[in-house]
């Protein structure tokens, strides 16, 4: 699923851009097992129903998307992006408004619907642990930041995005309903206490490898990666205490060559059955509110939408407004 934000040179975009053919639709996502699941759950079904071939591209690259739009050389029709980026890009004129006469938003989780985007799936940052590698597993964010009780390396998401800053503030005692606006001074002060013990992961596969090898036997991971680890035979223990939700979104770049087809693709991708199929394959929650009844009880209860007792919803609107400023400080802090 994610992600380096590579600012691709405009000249390179124009040199390699190949206009999408009328009989194809181009879908860009993050690659790996998640995009494989999206292809199986969405693209194959779309092709069967419409006869339109769906070309897979990626990984999603925000700099490339922006350059395409500004050069009027868009080759992507539908793109899977992070929720806060979707909110920001819509306001910045980089996206087409979605056609809700085609896409039925009445069945979708309203937390993940804007004029320019709908949820792709939603996930939680959870506390993951390789239980065979440690004497005890951390249960709370405070535990994960306690190097005396839980010595050793821990792993966190490398990129500036919802999740880690919220975890630091929760670990420092901030109430979930008082997180926003984020107190960055307090968050970075808390992060300083474990900085030397952090191994950063930049993609889901890396986070799994770090836990499985016990190089970092515990940390903050996407819940679906913990599900996959457990299925692989690792004694993977997940704590859902104050799990922090975030979402990927589906968007259409401004000037997409197959606009009508893009809307129909999103309509199918967010309908109940394809959303249920993706959830079964990935462990991430569907954004269609009718998908749960299409899944077996065992699968359904393992998804983030069933872990709401202490769930914390990351504020995508706040992140959209402050994404650039937070990112500048985040990367400067990491480089120190």
């Amino acid at each position: 699923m994610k992600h380096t934000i590579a600012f691709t040179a405009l000249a390179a975009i124009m040199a390699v851009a190949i206009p999408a053919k009328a009989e194809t639709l181009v879908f860009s996502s993050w690659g790996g097992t998640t995009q494989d699941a999206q292809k199986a759950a969405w693209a194959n079904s779309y092709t069967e129903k419409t006869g339109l071939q769906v070309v897979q591209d990626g990984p999603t690259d925000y700099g490339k998307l922006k350059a395409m739009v500004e050069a009027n050389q868009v080759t992507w029709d539908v793109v899977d992006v992070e929720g806060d980026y979707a909110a920001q890009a819509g306001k910045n004129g980089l996206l087409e408004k979605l056609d809700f006469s085609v896409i039925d938003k009445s069945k979708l989780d309203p937390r993940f619907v804007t004029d320019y985007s709908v949820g792709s799936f939603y996930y939680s940052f959870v506390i993951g642990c390789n239980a065979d590698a440690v004497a005890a597993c951390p249960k709370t964010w405070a535990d994960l930041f306690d190097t005396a009780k839980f010595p050793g390396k821990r792993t966190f998401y490398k990129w500036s995005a919802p999740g880690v800053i919220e975890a630091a503030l929760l670990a420092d005692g901030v109430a979930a309903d008082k997180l926003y606006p984020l107190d960055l001074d307090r968050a970075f002060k808390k992060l300083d206490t474990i900085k030397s013990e952090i191994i950063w992961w930049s993609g889901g596969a890396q986070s799994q490898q770090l836990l499985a090898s016990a190089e970092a036997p515990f940390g903050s991971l996407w819940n679906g990666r913990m599900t996959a680890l457990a299925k692989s035979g690792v004694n993977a223990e997940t704590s859902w205490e104050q799990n922090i939700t975030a979402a990927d979104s589906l968007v259409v770049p401004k000037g997409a060559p197959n606009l009508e087809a893009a809307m129909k693709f999103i309509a199918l991708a967010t309908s109940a059955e394809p959303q249920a199929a993706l959830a079964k394959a990935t462990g991430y929650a569907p954004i269609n509110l009718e998908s749960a009844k299409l899944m077996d009880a065992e699968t359904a209860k393992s998804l983030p939408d069933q872990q709401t007792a202490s769930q914390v919803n990351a504020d995508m609107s706040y992140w959209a407004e402050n994404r650039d400023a937070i990112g500048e400080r985040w990367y400067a802090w990491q480089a120190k």
Side-chain angles (χ1 to χ4, degrees):
M1 192 167 66
K2 321 258 195 335
H3 104 51
T4 55
I5 303 176
F7 291 90
T8 311
L10 179 59
I13 295 292
M14 297 181 70
V16 301
I18 302 173
K21 296 179 180 179
E23 66 270 18
T24 66
L25 178 143
V26 180
F27 173 63
S28 180
S29 189
W30 302 100
T33 56
T34 297
Q35 189 163 355
D36 290 343
Q38 290 171 323
K39 179 182 178 182
W42 304 346
N44 293 348
S45 177
Y46 182 79
T47 297
E48 289 175 8
K49 291 185 176 184
T50 67
L52 199 69
Q53 296 299 313
V54 180
V55 176
Q56 302 292 319
D57 201 0
T60 293
D61 179 326
Y62 300 151
K64 183 174 181 177
L65 189 154
K66 184 173 186 288
M68 282 181 176
V69 173
E70 291 179 344
N72 197 26
Q73 294 285 334
V74 178
T75 59
W76 290 343
D77 295 302
V78 180
V79 188
D80 189 300
V81 301
E82 291 164 300
D84 60 313
Y85 173 80
Q88 183 189 60
K91 291 180 180 179
N92 290 344
L94 298 176
L95 305 177
E96 297 281 357
K97 281 193 172 183
L98 298 186
D99 184 350
F100 289 113
S101 69
V102 177
I103 302 162
D104 184 2
K105 69 177 180 179
S106 70
K107 303 294 196 299
L108 306 183
D109 190 322
R111 291 178 296 171
F112 311 125
V113 177
T114 74
D115 288 346
Y116 297 93
S117 65
V118 291
S120 173
F121 55 86
Y122 90 85
Y123 55 91
S124 286
F125 283 97
V126 296
I127 300 163
C129 177
N130 181 339
D132 287 339
V134 294
C137 288
K139 305 295 185 185
T140 68
W141 296 116
D143 287 345
L144 193 56
F145 278 74
D146 190 335
T147 56
K149 290 183 179 178
F150 300 93
K153 298 295 183 182
R154 50 263 286 144
T155 188
F156 288 87
Y157 190 39
K158 180 178 182 178
W159 309 113
S160 175
V164 180
I165 291 176
E166 286 88 346
L169 292 171
L170 292 167
D172 204 43
V174 176
D177 61 353
K178 303 295 183 184
L179 280 173
Y180 300 97
L182 296 172
D183 186 337
L184 296 180
D185 290 338
R186 184 171 178 177
F188 282 108
K189 185 177 180 180
K190 187 66 173 178
L191 284 162
D192 280 336
T193 66
I194 62 167
K195 188 176 184 181
S196 63
E197 298 299 324
I198 294 175
I199 299 177
W200 301 104
W201 57 269
S202 58
Q206 184 184 12
S207 70
Q208 290 174 290
Q209 189 277 328
L210 287 167
L211 246 72
S213 68
E215 184 179 354
F218 34 66
S220 172
L221 284 82
W222 295 319
N223 72 280
R225 296 297 176 166
M226 291 302 299
T227 300
L229 270 179
K231 288 180 179 178
S232 74
V234 174
N235 189 7
E237 185 174 306
T238 298
S239 171
W240 289 92
E241 182 67 25
Q242 289 189 313
N243 65 93
I244 302 166
T245 67
D248 270 25
S249 293
L250 297 175
V251 300
V252 178
K254 192 77 171 178
N258 300 302
L259 188 59
E260 183 178 348
M263 299 301 167
K264 291 178 180 178
F265 179 86
I266 292 175
L268 181 143
T270 56
S271 60
E273 192 169 330
Q275 280 285 307
L278 186 73
K280 291 175 189 176
T282 63
Y284 297 124
I287 54 84
N288 189 297
L289 300 174
E290 297 187 343
S291 296
K293 64 186 179 185
L294 302 178
M295 293 182 280
D296 63 273
E298 189 67 23
T299 298
K301 75 179 184 181
S302 70
L303 302 177
D305 57 351
Q306 299 298 309
Q307 310 294 332
T308 59
S310 63
Q311 196 167 75
V312 178
N313 293 314
D315 188 333
M316 295 295 108
S317 296
Y318 175 86
W319 272 90
E321 292 292 336
N322 296 278
R323 181 184 180 93
D324 295 338
I326 294 173
E328 184 176 349
R329 184 165 178 181
W330 176 259
Y331 296 118
W333 174 81
Q334 279 191 341
K336 290 180 182 176

